[in-house]
């Protein structure tokens, strides 16, 4: 198997380790033998880590699509078309997949069906994987803000200036949101 410079090794679930490849495909690798179990190709490169929940792998691609793929077979369950490429990894909570695009659109997608639950726009590029805690989704943008939205409705609860671009993913602990930006770490 050709493993390129930008490949990322993901820890296994159900005996499957995986590589996310810049080559437009997702491989499921047997953790014990190293043999490929399946490969799922997309229309453009994959730069984000997948999210795995129960028997489904959620894959964000630069081809403007979010895919749900069966963990065991690699067969596509559904696909959702966004308006632009996806750089961030999907995050899943309470049956909803959350994902931001490089155009600043942020999506909440039904994890079972791929149907749009809600979307928001107006932010700059989103490279940050969302954090979800107590019904609130948090993410950062390249123009230096951290946004909190109601996970069920998409209502914006607050926007905070992080002083510089936010590529990293926020963390939530002890009632605070921690976000790193190009100028430092902030706690909200």
């Amino acid at each position: 198997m050709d493993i390129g410079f930008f490949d990322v090794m993901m820890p296994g679930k159900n005996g499957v380790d995986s590589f996310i490849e810049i080559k437009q495909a997702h491989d499921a690798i047997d953790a014990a033998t190293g043999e490929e179990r399946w490969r799922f190709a997309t229309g453009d490169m994959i730069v984000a880590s997948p999210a795995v929940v129960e028997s489904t792998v959620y894959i964000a691609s630069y081809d403007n699509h979010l895919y749900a793929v069966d963990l065991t077979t690699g067969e596509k369950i559904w696909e959702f078309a966004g308006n632009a490429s996806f750089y961030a990894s999907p995050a899943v909570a309470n049956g909803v997949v959350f994902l931001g695009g490089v155009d600043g659109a942020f999506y909440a997608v039904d994890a079972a069906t791929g149907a749009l639950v809600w979307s928001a726009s107006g932010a700059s590029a989103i490279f940050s994987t969302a954090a979800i805690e107590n019904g609130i989704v948090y993410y950062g943008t390249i123009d230096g803000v951290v946004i909190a939205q109601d996970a069920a409705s998409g209502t914006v609860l607050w926007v905070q200036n992080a002083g510089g671009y936010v590529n990293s993913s926020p963390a939530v602990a002890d009632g605070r949101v921690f976000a790193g930006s190009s100028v430092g770490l902030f706690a909200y």
Side-chain angles (χ1 to χ4, degrees):
M1 174 179 15
D2 177 23
I3 300 175
F5 180 77
F6 293 104
D7 296 345
V8 176
M9 179 71 165
M10 294 299 300
K13 178 172 176 143
N14 299 335
V16 177
D17 284 344
S18 61
F19 290 94
I20 300 304
E21 301 181 5
I22 205 77
K23 297 182 307 208
Q24 301 174 224
H26 174 79
D27 292 342
I29 308 298
D30 187 289
T33 67
E35 295 197 22
E36 182 178 292
R37 288 193 178 178
W38 53 259
R39 178 175 291 222
F40 183 81
T42 66
D44 205 338
M45 65 182 175
I46 300 168
V47 296
S49 301
V52 180
V53 177
E54 296 176 6
S55 62
T56 305
V57 180
Y58 299 95
I59 303 167
S61 174
Y62 245 57
D63 70 359
N64 304 4
H65 287 82
L66 169 66
Y67 298 92
V69 176
D70 183 273
L71 175 69
T72 304
T73 66
E75 296 293 319
K76 180 174 68 174
I77 299 168
W78 54 255
E79 68 182 84
F80 170 81
N83 294 323
S85 300
F86 294 116
Y87 184 90
S89 296
V92 185
N94 300 318
V96 179
V97 183
F98 298 94
L99 181 62
V102 299
D103 65 343
F106 192 81
Y107 301 97
V109 177
D110 186 285
T113 67
L116 180 66
V117 176
W118 57 261
S119 67
S121 60
S124 65
I126 301 168
F127 293 166
S128 152
T129 300
I132 304 103
E133 183 75 25
N134 295 324
I136 302 173
V137 60
Y138 306 92
Y139 58 95
T141 69
I142 203 73
D143 67 352
V145 298
V146 176
I147 299 170
Q149 289 179 263
D150 181 86
S153 68
T155 300
V156 174
L157 303 175
W158 53 257
V159 177
Q160 292 290 336
N161 187 337
Y165 59 85
V166 181
N167 262 357
S168 64
S169 302
V172 183
D174 295 328
R176 293 185 181 165
V177 178
F178 300 89
S181 77
S182 59
V183 298
L185 178 68
F186 293 83
Y188 305 103

